[in-house]
Coordinates of all heavy atoms in Angstrom, one line a residue:
M1 N 11.2 7.7 -7.2 CA 11.1 6.4 -6.6 C 10.6 5.4 -7.7 O 9.9 5.8 -8.7 CB 10.1 6.4 -5.5 CG 9.6 5.1 -4.9 SD 10.3 4.7 -3.3 CE 9.9 3.0 -3.2
K2 N 11.1 4.1 -7.7 CA 10.9 3.1 -8.7 C 10.2 1.9 -7.9 O 10.6 1.7 -6.7 CB 12.1 2.8 -9.4 CG 12.7 3.9 -10.2 CD 13.9 3.5 -11.0 CE 14.3 4.7 -11.8 NZ 15.3 4.4 -12.6
D3 N 9.5 1.2 -8.7 CA 8.7 -0.1 -8.2 C 9.7 -1.2 -8.4 O 10.8 -1.1 -8.8 CB 7.5 -0.3 -9.0 CG 7.6 -0.7 -10.4 OD1 8.7 -0.7 -10.9 OD2 6.5 -1.1 -10.9
R4 N 9.2 -2.4 -8.2 CA 10.0 -3.7 -8.2 C 10.5 -3.9 -9.6 O 11.7 -4.4 -9.7 CB 9.0 -4.8 -8.0 CG 9.7 -6.2 -8.3 CD 8.7 -7.3 -8.0 NE 8.6 -7.5 -6.6 CZ 8.1 -8.6 -6.0 NH1 7.9 -9.6 -6.8 NH2 8.1 -8.7 -4.7
H5 N 10.0 -3.3 -10.6 CA 10.5 -3.6 -12.0 C 11.2 -2.4 -12.6 O 11.5 -2.3 -13.7 CB 9.2 -3.9 -13.0 CG 8.5 -5.1 -12.5 ND1 8.9 -6.4 -12.5 CD2 7.2 -5.1 -11.9 CE1 7.9 -7.2 -11.9 NE2 6.9 -6.5 -11.6
G6 N 11.5 -1.3 -11.7 CA 12.2 -0.3 -12.2 C 11.4 0.9 -12.9 O 12.1 1.9 -13.3
N7 N 10.2 0.7 -12.8 CA 9.3 1.9 -13.3 C 9.1 3.0 -12.3 O 9.0 2.8 -11.1 CB 7.8 1.4 -13.4 CG 7.8 0.2 -14.4 OD1 8.3 0.3 -15.5 ND2 7.2 -0.9 -14.0
E8 N 9.4 4.2 -12.7 CA 9.2 5.4 -12.0 C 7.8 5.6 -11.5 O 6.8 5.5 -12.3 CB 9.7 6.7 -12.7 CG 9.9 7.9 -12.0 CD 11.2 7.8 -11.0 OE1 12.2 7.0 -11.4 OE2 11.0 8.2 -10.0
V9 N 7.5 5.9 -10.3 CA 6.2 6.1 -9.7 C 6.0 7.5 -9.1 O 6.9 8.0 -8.7 CB 5.8 5.0 -8.7 CG1 5.7 3.6 -9.3 CG2 6.7 5.1 -7.5
A10 N 4.7 8.0 -9.1 CA 4.4 9.4 -8.5 C 3.2 9.2 -7.6 O 2.5 8.2 -7.8 CB 4.3 10.2 -9.7
I11 N 2.9 10.1 -6.9 CA 1.8 10.2 -6.2 C 0.5 10.2 -7.1 O 0.5 10.9 -8.1 CB 1.7 11.5 -5.3 CG1 2.7 11.4 -4.2 CG2 0.3 11.7 -4.6 CD1 3.0 12.6 -3.3
G12 N -0.4 9.4 -6.7 CA -1.7 9.2 -7.5 C -1.6 7.9 -8.5 O -2.6 7.4 -9.0
D13 N -0.3 7.5 -8.8 CA -0.2 6.2 -9.5 C -0.8 5.1 -8.8 O -0.8 5.0 -7.6 CB 1.2 5.9 -9.8 CG 1.8 6.8 -11.0 OD1 1.3 7.7 -11.3 OD2 3.1 6.7 -11.0
M14 N -1.4 4.1 -9.6 CA -2.1 2.8 -9.0 C -0.9 1.8 -9.0 O -0.4 1.6 -10.0 CB -3.3 2.5 -9.9 CG -4.0 1.4 -9.3 SD -4.9 1.9 -7.9 CE -6.2 3.0 -8.4
V15 N -0.8 1.2 -7.8 CA 0.2 0.2 -7.6 C -0.5 -1.1 -7.0 O -1.6 -1.1 -6.3 CB 1.2 0.6 -6.8 CG1 2.2 1.7 -7.4 CG2 0.8 0.9 -5.3
R16 N 0.1 -2.3 -7.4 CA -0.3 -3.5 -6.7 C 0.5 -3.9 -5.6 O 1.8 -3.9 -5.8 CB -0.3 -4.7 -7.8 CG -0.9 -6.0 -7.2 CD -0.9 -7.0 -8.3 NE -1.7 -6.6 -9.5 CZ -2.9 -6.7 -9.5 NH1 -3.7 -7.3 -8.6 NH2 -3.5 -6.6 -10.7
V17 N 0.0 -4.3 -4.5 CA 0.7 -4.7 -3.4 C 1.2 -6.2 -3.5 O 0.4 -7.0 -3.8 CB 0.0 -4.7 -2.0 CG1 0.8 -5.1 -0.9 CG2 -0.5 -3.1 -1.7
L18 N 2.5 -6.4 -3.6 CA 3.0 -7.7 -3.9 C 3.6 -8.5 -2.8 O 3.6 -9.7 -2.7 CB 4.2 -7.6 -5.0 CG 3.8 -6.9 -6.3 CD1 5.1 -6.8 -7.1 CD2 2.8 -7.7 -7.0
E19 N 4.0 -7.7 -1.7 CA 4.5 -8.4 -0.5 C 4.1 -7.4 0.7 O 3.9 -6.2 0.6 CB 6.1 -8.3 -0.5 CG 6.7 -9.2 -1.5 CD 8.1 -9.3 -1.4 OE1 8.8 -9.2 -0.3 OE2 8.8 -9.4 -2.5
I20 N 3.9 -8.1 1.9 CA 3.6 -7.5 3.1 C 4.7 -7.9 4.2 O 4.9 -9.1 4.2 CB 2.2 -7.7 3.6 CG1 1.2 -6.9 2.6 CG2 2.0 -7.0 4.9 CD1 -0.3 -7.3 2.9
D21 N 5.3 -7.0 4.9 CA 6.3 -7.3 5.8 C 5.7 -8.5 6.8 O 4.6 -8.3 7.3 CB 6.6 -6.0 6.7 CG 7.5 -6.3 7.9 OD1 7.9 -7.5 8.1 OD2 8.0 -5.3 8.3
Q22 N 6.5 -9.5 6.9 CA 6.1 -10.7 7.7 C 6.0 -10.4 9.2 O 5.4 -11.1 9.9 CB 7.2 -11.9 7.5 CG 7.1 -12.3 6.1 CD 5.8 -12.9 5.7 OE1 5.2 -13.7 6.3 NE2 5.3 -12.6 4.5
G23 N 6.6 -9.2 9.7 CA 6.6 -8.9 11.0 C 5.3 -8.2 11.4 O 5.0 -7.9 12.6
L24 N 4.5 -7.9 10.4 CA 3.3 -7.0 10.6 C 2.3 -7.6 11.8 O 1.9 -6.8 12.6 CB 2.4 -6.9 9.3 CG 1.3 -6.0 9.2 CD1 1.9 -4.6 9.1 CD2 0.4 -6.4 8.0
P25 N 2.1 -8.9 11.8 CA 1.3 -9.4 12.9 C 1.8 -9.2 14.3 O 1.0 -9.3 15.3 CB 1.2 -10.9 12.6 CG 1.4 -11.1 11.1 CD 2.5 -9.9 10.9
D26 N 3.0 -9.1 14.4 CA 3.6 -8.8 15.8 C 3.3 -7.4 16.3 O 3.2 -7.3 17.6 CB 5.1 -8.9 15.7 CG 5.6 -10.3 15.4 OD1 4.9 -11.3 15.4 OD2 6.8 -10.4 14.9
W27 N 2.9 -6.4 15.6 CA 2.6 -5.1 16.1 C 1.3 -4.5 15.8 O 0.8 -3.6 16.3 CB 3.7 -4.1 15.8 CG 4.1 -4.0 14.4 CD1 5.0 -4.7 13.7 CD2 3.4 -3.1 13.6 NE1 5.0 -4.2 12.3 CE2 4.1 -3.3 12.3 CE3 2.5 -2.1 13.7 CZ2 3.6 -2.6 11.1 CZ3 2.0 -1.3 12.5 CH2 2.7 -1.5 11.3
L28 N 0.6 -5.1 14.8 CA -0.7 -4.5 14.3 C -1.8 -4.9 15.2 O -1.9 -6.1 15.5 CB -0.8 -4.9 12.9 CG -1.8 -4.1 12.1 CD1 -1.4 -2.7 11.9 CD2 -2.1 -4.7 10.7
P29 N -2.7 -4.0 15.5 CA -3.9 -4.5 16.3 C -4.7 -5.7 15.6 O -4.9 -5.6 14.5 CB -4.7 -3.3 16.3 CG -3.7 -2.1 16.0 CD -2.8 -2.6 15.2
A30 N -5.1 -6.6 16.5 CA -5.8 -7.8 15.8 C -7.0 -7.5 14.9 O -7.2 -8.2 14.0 CB -6.1 -8.7 17.0
D31 N -7.8 -6.5 15.4 CA -8.9 -6.1 14.6 C -8.6 -5.5 13.2 O -9.4 -5.5 12.3 CB -9.9 -5.2 15.3 CG -9.2 -3.9 15.7 OD1 -8.0 -3.9 15.8 OD2 -10.0 -2.9 15.9
E32 N -7.5 -5.0 13.1 CA -7.0 -4.3 11.8 C -6.2 -5.2 10.9 O -6.2 -5.2 9.8 CB -6.1 -3.1 12.2 CG -5.7 -2.2 11.1 CD -4.9 -1.0 11.5 OE1 -5.1 -0.6 12.6 OE2 -4.0 -0.6 10.7
L33 N -5.6 -6.4 11.5 CA -4.7 -7.3 10.8 C -5.4 -7.9 9.6 O -4.7 -7.9 8.4 CB -4.2 -8.3 11.8 CG -3.2 -9.3 11.1 CD1 -2.0 -8.6 10.7 CD2 -2.8 -10.3 12.1
P34 N -6.4 -8.5 9.6 CA -7.1 -9.2 8.6 C -7.4 -8.1 7.3 O -7.2 -8.5 6.1 CB -8.5 -9.7 9.0 CG -8.7 -9.2 10.3 CD -7.4 -8.6 10.8
H35 N -7.8 -6.9 7.5 CA -8.0 -5.9 6.6 C -6.7 -5.5 6.0 O -6.6 -5.3 4.8 CB -8.6 -4.7 7.2 CG -10.0 -4.9 7.7 ND1 -10.9 -5.1 6.9 CD2 -10.4 -5.1 9.1 CE1 -12.2 -5.4 7.7 NE2 -11.7 -5.4 9.0
T36 N -5.6 -5.4 6.7 CA -4.3 -5.1 6.2 C -3.7 -6.2 5.4 O -3.3 -6.1 4.2 CB -3.4 -4.6 7.3 OG1 -4.0 -3.7 8.1 CG2 -2.0 -4.2 6.7
L37 N -3.9 -7.5 5.9 CA -3.4 -8.6 5.0 C -4.1 -8.7 3.7 O -3.6 -9.3 2.7 CB -3.4 -9.9 5.9 CG -2.5 -9.9 7.1 CD1 -2.8 -11.2 7.9 CD2 -1.1 -9.8 6.6
A38 N -5.3 -8.3 3.7 CA -6.2 -8.4 2.6 C -5.7 -7.5 1.3 O -6.1 -7.5 0.3 CB -7.7 -8.2 2.9
M39 N -4.9 -6.4 1.8 CA -4.3 -5.6 0.8 C -3.4 -6.3 -0.2 O -3.3 -5.8 -1.3 CB -3.6 -4.4 1.5 CG -4.5 -3.5 2.3 SD -3.6 -2.3 3.2 CE -3.3 -1.1 1.9
L40 N -2.9 -7.4 0.2 CA -1.9 -8.2 -0.7 C -2.7 -8.6 -2.0 O -3.8 -9.1 -2.0 CB -1.5 -9.5 0.0 CG -0.5 -10.2 -0.7 CD1 0.9 -9.5 -0.7 CD2 -0.2 -11.6 0.1
N41 N -2.0 -8.3 -3.1 CA -2.4 -8.6 -4.5 C -3.5 -7.6 -4.9 O -4.2 -7.9 -5.9 CB -2.8 -10.1 -4.7 CG -1.5 -10.9 -4.5 OD1 -0.5 -10.6 -5.0 ND2 -1.8 -12.1 -3.8
N42 N -3.8 -6.6 -4.1 CA -4.8 -5.5 -4.6 C -4.2 -4.3 -4.9 O -3.0 -4.1 -4.6 CB -5.9 -5.4 -3.5 CG -6.7 -6.6 -3.3 OD1 -7.5 -7.0 -4.3 ND2 -6.8 -7.3 -2.2
E43 N -4.9 -3.4 -5.6 CA -4.4 -2.1 -6.1 C -4.9 -0.9 -5.4 O -6.0 -0.8 -5.0 CB -4.9 -2.0 -7.6 CG -4.3 -3.2 -8.4 CD -4.8 -3.2 -9.9 OE1 -5.6 -2.3 -10.2 OE2 -4.6 -4.1 -10.5
Y44 N -3.9 0.0 -5.2 CA -4.2 1.3 -4.4 C -3.5 2.4 -5.1 O -2.3 2.2 -5.5 CB -3.7 1.1 -2.9 CG -4.5 -0.1 -2.3 CD1 -3.9 -1.3 -2.3 CD2 -5.7 0.1 -1.7 CE1 -4.6 -2.4 -1.7 CE2 -6.4 -1.0 -1.1 CZ -5.8 -2.3 -1.2 OH -6.5 -3.3 -0.6
P45 N -3.9 3.6 -4.9 CA -3.2 4.7 -5.2 C -2.1 5.1 -4.3 O -2.2 5.0 -3.1 CB -4.3 5.8 -5.4 CG -5.2 5.5 -4.5 CD -5.3 4.1 -4.4
I46 N -1.0 5.6 -4.9 CA 0.1 6.1 -4.0 C -0.4 7.4 -3.4 O -0.8 8.3 -4.1 CB 1.3 6.3 -4.8 CG1 1.9 5.0 -5.3 CG2 2.4 6.9 -3.8 CD1 3.2 5.1 -6.1
E47 N -0.4 7.4 -2.0 CA -0.8 8.7 -1.4 C 0.5 9.6 -1.0 O 0.1 10.9 -1.0 CB -1.6 8.4 -0.1 CG -2.8 7.6 -0.3 CD -3.5 7.1 0.9 OE1 -3.0 7.2 1.9 OE2 -4.8 6.8 0.8
D48 N 1.5 9.1 -0.7 CA 2.5 9.9 -0.2 C 3.9 9.1 -0.4 O 4.0 7.9 -0.7 CB 2.3 10.2 1.1 CG 3.2 11.3 1.7 OD1 3.8 12.0 0.9 OD2 3.2 11.6 3.0
F49 N 5.0 9.8 -0.2 CA 6.4 9.2 0.0 C 6.7 9.7 1.4 O 7.4 10.7 1.6 CB 7.4 9.9 -1.1 CG 7.0 9.5 -2.5 CD1 6.4 10.4 -3.4 CD2 7.1 8.2 -3.0 CE1 6.1 10.1 -4.7 CE2 6.9 7.8 -4.3 CZ 6.2 8.9 -5.3
P50 N 6.3 8.8 2.4 CA 6.5 9.3 3.9 C 7.9 9.2 4.2 O 8.2 10.0 5.2 CB 5.7 8.2 4.5 CG 5.7 7.0 3.7 CD 5.7 7.6 2.3
E51 N 8.7 8.4 3.8 CA 10.1 8.3 4.0 C 10.9 7.9 2.8 O 10.3 7.5 1.9 CB 10.4 7.1 5.0 CG 9.6 7.2 6.3 CD 9.8 6.1 7.2 OE1 10.6 5.2 6.9 OE2 9.0 5.9 8.1
K52 N 12.1 8.3 2.7 CA 12.9 8.0 1.6 C 13.0 6.5 1.3 O 13.1 5.7 2.2 CB 14.4 8.4 1.8 CG 15.3 8.3 0.7 CD 16.8 8.9 0.8 CE 17.7 8.6 -0.3 NZ 17.4 9.3 -1.4
G53 N 12.6 6.2 0.0 CA 12.6 4.8 -0.5 C 11.2 4.1 -0.2 O 11.2 2.9 -0.3
K54 N 10.2 4.9 0.3 CA 9.0 4.1 0.6 C 7.7 5.0 0.1 O 7.7 6.1 -0.1 CB 8.8 4.0 2.2 CG 9.7 3.2 2.8 CD 9.3 3.1 4.4 CE 10.5 2.2 5.1 NZ 10.2 2.3 6.5
I55 N 6.7 4.1 -0.2 CA 5.4 4.7 -0.6 C 4.4 4.4 0.4 O 4.6 3.5 1.2 CB 4.9 4.4 -2.0 CG1 4.6 2.8 -1.9 CG2 6.0 4.6 -3.2 CD1 3.7 2.3 -3.0
S56 N 3.3 5.2 0.4 CA 2.3 5.0 1.3 C 1.1 4.7 0.6 O 0.6 5.5 -0.3 CB 2.0 6.2 2.2 OG 0.9 6.1 3.1
V57 N 0.2 3.6 1.0 CA -1.1 3.3 0.4 C -2.0 3.1 1.6 O -1.6 2.6 2.7 CB -1.1 2.1 -0.5 CG1 -0.1 2.5 -1.8 CG2 -0.5 0.8 0.1
T58 N -3.3 3.3 1.3 CA -4.3 3.0 2.4 C -5.5 2.2 1.9 O -6.0 2.4 0.8 CB -4.8 4.4 3.0 OG1 -3.7 5.1 3.4 CG2 -5.9 4.2 4.1
S59 N -6.1 1.4 2.8 CA -7.3 0.6 2.6 C -8.4 1.1 3.5 O -8.1 1.2 4.7 CB -7.1 -0.9 2.7 OG -8.3 -1.5 2.6
W60 N -9.6 1.4 3.0 CA -10.7 1.8 3.8 C -11.8 0.7 3.8 O -11.9 0.0 2.9 CB -11.3 3.0 3.3 CG -10.4 4.3 3.4 CD1 -9.5 4.6 2.6 CD2 -10.5 5.2 4.6 NE1 -8.8 5.8 3.1 CE2 -9.4 6.1 4.3 CE3 -11.3 5.3 5.7 CZ2 -9.3 7.2 5.1 CZ3 -11.1 6.4 6.6 CH2 -10.1 7.3 6.3
W61 N -12.5 0.5 5.0 CA -13.6 -0.4 5.0 C -14.7 0.0 6.0 O -14.4 1.0 6.8 CB -13.1 -1.8 5.5 CG -12.5 -1.9 6.9 CD1 -13.2 -2.1 8.1 CD2 -11.2 -1.7 7.1 NE1 -12.3 -2.1 9.1 CE2 -11.1 -1.8 8.6 CE3 -10.0 -1.4 6.5 CZ2 -9.8 -1.6 9.2 CZ3 -8.9 -1.2 7.1 CH2 -8.7 -1.5 8.6
E62 N -15.9 -0.4 5.8 CA -17.0 -0.1 6.7 C -17.0 -0.9 7.9 O -16.7 -2.1 7.9 CB -18.4 -0.4 5.9 CG -18.5 0.6 4.7 CD -18.7 2.0 5.1 OE1 -19.5 2.4 6.1 OE2 -18.2 2.9 4.4
E63 N -17.3 -0.3 9.0 CA -17.4 -1.1 10.3 C -18.8 -1.0 10.9 O -19.0 -1.4 12.1 CB -16.4 -0.5 11.3 CG -14.9 -0.6 10.9 CD -14.1 -1.0 12.1 OE1 -14.3 -0.3 13.2 OE2 -13.2 -1.8 12.0
G64 N -19.7 -0.4 10.1 CA -21.1 -0.3 10.6 C -21.6 0.8 10.0 O -21.1 1.6 9.2
P65 N -23.0 1.1 10.2 CA -23.7 2.2 9.7 C -22.9 3.6 10.0 O -22.7 3.9 11.2 CB -25.1 2.2 10.3 CG -25.3 0.7 10.7 CD -24.0 0.3 11.1
G66 N -22.5 4.3 9.1 CA -21.9 5.5 9.3 C -20.5 5.5 9.9 O -20.0 6.6 10.2
K67 N -19.8 4.3 10.1 CA -18.6 4.1 10.6 C -17.6 3.5 9.6 O -17.9 2.5 9.0 CB -18.6 3.4 11.8 CG -19.4 3.9 13.1 CD -19.4 3.1 14.1 CE -18.2 3.3 15.0 NZ -18.4 2.4 16.2
S68 N -16.5 4.0 9.4 CA -15.5 3.4 8.5 C -14.0 3.5 9.3 O -13.9 4.2 10.3 CB -15.4 4.1 7.3 OG -14.9 5.5 7.5
A69 N -13.2 2.6 8.7 CA -11.8 2.6 9.4 C -11.0 2.3 8.3 O -11.3 2.1 7.1 CB -11.8 1.3 10.4
C70 N -9.6 2.5 8.6 CA -8.6 2.3 7.5 C -7.4 1.6 8.1 O -7.1 1.7 9.4 CB -8.3 3.6 6.8 SG -7.4 4.9 7.9
S71 N -6.5 1.2 7.2 CA -5.3 0.8 7.5 C -4.4 1.1 6.4 O -4.7 1.1 5.2 CB -5.4 -0.8 7.6 OG -4.0 -1.3 8.0
G72 N -3.1 1.3 6.7 CA -2.2 1.8 5.7 C -0.8 1.0 5.7 O -0.5 0.4 6.7
L73 N -0.2 1.0 4.6 CA 1.0 0.4 4.6 C 2.2 1.3 3.9 O 1.8 2.1 3.0 CB 1.0 -0.8 3.6 CG 0.3 -2.0 4.1 CD1 0.1 -3.0 2.9 CD2 0.8 -2.7 5.2
Y74 N 3.4 1.2 4.5 CA 4.5 1.8 3.9 C 5.2 0.7 3.1 O 5.5 -0.3 3.7 CB 5.4 2.4 4.9 CG 5.1 3.6 5.6 CD1 3.7 4.3 5.3 CD2 5.9 4.3 6.5 CE1 3.5 5.5 6.0 CE2 5.5 5.6 7.0 CZ 4.3 6.1 6.8 OH 3.9 7.3 7.4
L75 N 5.4 0.9 1.8 CA 6.0 -0.2 1.1 C 7.3 0.2 0.4 O 7.5 1.3 -0.1 CB 5.1 -0.6 -0.1 CG 3.6 -1.0 0.4 CD1 2.7 -1.1 -0.9 CD2 3.9 -2.4 1.0
L76 N 8.2 -0.8 0.6 CA 9.6 -0.5 -0.3 C 9.3 -1.0 -1.7 O 8.5 -1.7 -2.0 CB 10.6 -1.4 0.4 CG 10.9 -1.1 1.9 CD1 11.7 -2.3 2.5 CD2 11.7 0.2 2.0
A77 N 10.3 -0.6 -2.6 CA 10.3 -0.8 -4.0 C 10.0 -2.3 -4.3 O 9.1 -2.5 -5.2 CB 11.4 -0.3 -4.6
H78 N 10.5 -3.2 -3.7 CA 10.3 -4.6 -4.0 C 9.0 -5.2 -3.6 O 8.6 -6.2 -3.9 CB 11.5 -5.5 -3.4 CG 11.4 -5.6 -1.9 ND1 12.0 -4.8 -1.1 CD2 10.9 -6.7 -1.1 CE1 11.8 -5.2 0.1 NE2 11.1 -6.3 0.1
E79 N 8.3 -4.5 -2.8 CA 7.0 -4.8 -2.2 C 5.7 -4.4 -3.2 O 4.6 -4.8 -2.9 CB 6.7 -4.3 -0.9 CG 7.8 -4.9 0.0 CD 7.7 -4.2 1.4 OE1 7.5 -3.0 1.6 OE2 7.9 -5.1 2.5
F80 N 5.9 -3.7 -4.3 CA 4.9 -3.1 -5.1 C 5.2 -3.1 -6.6 O 6.4 -3.0 -6.9 CB 4.3 -1.8 -4.6 CG 5.2 -0.6 -4.8 CD1 5.1 0.1 -6.0 CD2 6.2 -0.3 -3.9 CE1 6.0 1.3 -6.1 CE2 7.1 0.7 -4.2 CZ 6.9 1.5 -5.2
A81 N 4.2 -3.1 -7.4 CA 4.4 -2.9 -8.9 C 3.4 -1.9 -9.4 O 2.3 -1.9 -9.0 CB 4.3 -4.2 -9.6
L82 N 3.9 -1.0 -10.3 CA 3.2 0.0 -10.9 C 2.0 -0.7 -11.9 O 2.3 -1.6 -12.6 CB 3.9 0.8 -11.8 CG 3.2 1.9 -12.7 CD1 2.5 3.0 -11.8 CD2 4.2 2.7 -13.6
V83 N 0.8 -0.3 -11.7 CA -0.3 -0.8 -12.6 C -0.7 0.2 -13.6 O -1.0 -0.1 -14.7 CB -1.6 -1.2 -11.6 CG1 -2.7 -1.6 -12.5 CG2 -1.2 -2.3 -10.7
K84 N -0.8 1.5 -13.1 CA -1.3 2.5 -14.0 C -0.9 3.9 -13.5 O -0.8 4.1 -12.3 CB -2.9 2.5 -14.1 CG -3.3 3.6 -15.0 CD -5.0 3.5 -15.0 CE -5.4 4.5 -15.9 NZ -7.0 4.7 -15.9
T85 N -0.2 4.7 -14.5 CA 0.2 6.0 -14.0 C -1.2 6.9 -13.8 O -2.2 6.6 -14.3 CB 1.0 6.7 -15.1 OG1 0.4 6.8 -16.2 CG2 2.3 5.9 -15.2
A86 N -1.0 8.1 -13.1 CA -2.0 8.9 -12.8 C -2.3 10.0 -13.8 O -2.6 11.1 -13.6 CB -1.7 9.5 -11.5
G87 N -2.0 9.7 -15.2 CA -2.4 10.5 -16.2 C -1.3 11.5 -16.7 O -1.4 12.3 -17.4
R88 N -0.1 11.3 -16.1 CA 1.0 12.2 -16.4 C 1.6 11.8 -17.8 O 1.4 10.7 -18.2 CB 2.2 12.3 -15.4 CG 2.9 10.9 -15.2 CD 3.8 11.1 -14.0 NE 4.5 9.9 -13.8 CZ 4.1 8.8 -13.2 NH1 2.9 8.8 -12.7 NH2 4.8 7.7 -13.1
T89 N 2.2 12.7 -18.5 CA 2.8 12.4 -19.8 C 4.3 12.7 -19.8 O 4.9 13.3 -18.9 CB 2.2 13.4 -20.9 OG1 2.4 14.6 -20.5 CG2 0.7 13.1 -21.1
G90 N 5.0 12.1 -20.8 CA 6.4 12.3 -20.8 C 7.1 11.2 -20.3 O 8.2 10.9 -20.0

């Protein structure tokens, strides 16, 4: 899989979220929406290739003492850019 600039990416690589689907507010729970929208222009490691042509990234946050929550995005190539590889060579 390649990013917006044609760079090959792998699980563990750090990527910057460049775009978020404009339809997201139509189906995402209201309490999760601000956290997900805050992922724009931030960096996350690739966790998976959940579907052909998509990567998966996740953001975690605290919701109170001992409580955390997360939100994830599936991103198409034009929606992210490689920032740093996960230490592979070649």
Side-chain angles (χ1 to χ4, degrees):
M1 165 105 196
K2 296 183 179 186
D3 74 351
R4 171 183 283 203
H5 305 293
N7 299 305
E8 195 68 36
V9 296
I11 291 175
D13 287 353
M14 190 67 67
V15 296
R16 181 180 305 277
V17 177
L18 301 175
E19 293 181 35
I20 294 177
D21 183 342
Q22 295 299 311
L24 193 73
D26 295 337
W27 57 268
L28 198 64
D31 60 334
E32 192 175 328
L33 184 61
H35 298 284
T36 306
L37 293 177
M39 293 176 77
L40 187 63
N41 296 317
N42 286 300
E43 299 172 5
Y44 303 91
I46 296 174
E47 295 179 344
D48 196 10
F49 296 107
E51 300 174 13
K52 185 173 174 67
K54 293 182 181 179
I55 66 163
S56 171
V57 296
T58 302
S59 175
W60 290 87
W61 64 90
E62 294 294 320
E63 290 218 321
K67 295 176 88 177
S68 61
C70 70
S71 184
L73 292 171
Y74 286 4
L75 300 171
L76 298 168
H78 71 277
E79 297 174 323
F80 72 93
L82 178 65
V83 174
K84 182 179 177 187
T85 62
R88 63 185 183 279
T89 59

